[in-house]
Amino acid sequence: MTERSIRIFGDPVLKTPTEEIVVIDDKIRALVDDLVDTVKIPGRAGVAATQIGVGLRAFSYNVHGEIGYILNPRIIETRGEIELVEEGCLSVPNLWFKTPRYPFAKVEGTDLDGNTIVLEGEGLMAQALQHECDHLDGLVYLDRLDQQTRKEAMRQVRQSDWF
């Protein structure tokens, strides 16, 4: 039940694939509370557990006023032609780059009661679902950039005041 600080690019936790959540206990309930409290800050579309230093497969989202979470999410469907969309990341502050994303995504996982839930959407929701699942697989959006854009992105990262 706390807003947690965000881990910044360069922190090894952001490049480490997460572990499945096997037992839903008070520790996992507290993690979900923290994820939801952390994503409620205006301008945040999603927060993955890795971004708050936890190597478990969970994320929260805040898209168009809808706030929620999902445990053990997996992308089960993407549709449409990949588009380049402006994307940023809390873990890569103040930098935005055109990132290839599908215009539709569907994710399946569970809630705190172990019930199957499905999240899906287009536009920002599709982008957030793909972005957060990438975090849980040990990827940041910079890993999705084409070679030339990634080279420029890494130059800007190295010149940033937070790196």
Side-chain angles (χ1 to χ4, degrees):
M1 294 181 267
T2 305
E3 175 196 332
R4 303 267 295 268
S5 60
I6 300 294
R7 300 292 179 99
I8 300 300
F9 182 77
D11 188 318
V13 73
L14 296 171
K15 298 299 287 175
T16 306
T18 55
E19 299 288 327
E20 291 283 323
I21 295 170
V22 179
V23 176
I24 298 173
D25 56 13
D26 288 343
K27 178 181 169 188
I28 299 303
R29 286 181 184 80
L31 170 63
V32 168
D33 286 343
D34 290 353
L35 284 168
V36 169
D37 285 348
T38 303
V39 83
K40 284 181 179 177
I41 296 169
R44 294 184 173 181
V47 175
T50 52
Q51 291 181 281
I52 60 171
V54 178
L56 294 173
R57 197 160 186 89
F59 71 77
S60 58
Y61 61 92
N62 181 357
V63 178
H64 304 305
E66 183 181 342
I67 297 173
Y69 71 92
I70 189 167
L71 307 178
N72 297 326
R74 297 279 178 206
I75 294 177
I76 58 171
E77 182 183 354
T78 54
R79 275 198 311 253
E81 294 293 319
I82 291 177
E83 303 169 349
L84 290 176
V85 294
E86 280 294 317
E87 191 160 320
C89 180
L90 298 171
S91 295
V92 186
N94 306 315
L95 297 177
W96 293 77
F97 296 96
K98 297 264 187 201
T99 306
R101 295 290 183 194
Y102 289 97
F104 173 87
K106 183 187 286 189
V107 171
E108 183 177 273
T110 63
D111 65 14
L112 285 170
D113 295 320
N115 300 313
T116 298
I117 57 174
V118 175
L119 301 173
E120 64 181 69
E122 298 178 334
L124 182 59
M125 185 60 153
Q127 187 178 359
L129 295 174
Q130 293 167 83
H131 182 106
E132 301 312 325
C133 283
D134 275 355
H135 273 304
L136 301 178
D137 292 335
L139 301 171
V140 294
Y141 84 105
L142 301 175
D143 296 316
R144 296 280 183 195
L145 303 178
D146 66 63
Q147 185 178 8
Q148 187 64 27
T149 307
R150 182 170 166 74
K151 184 177 177 180
E152 173 59 22
M154 294 310 296
R155 184 187 68 74
Q156 289 185 36
V157 165
R158 286 188 297 277
Q159 291 178 344
S160 67
D161 60 357
W162 51 262
F163 186 68

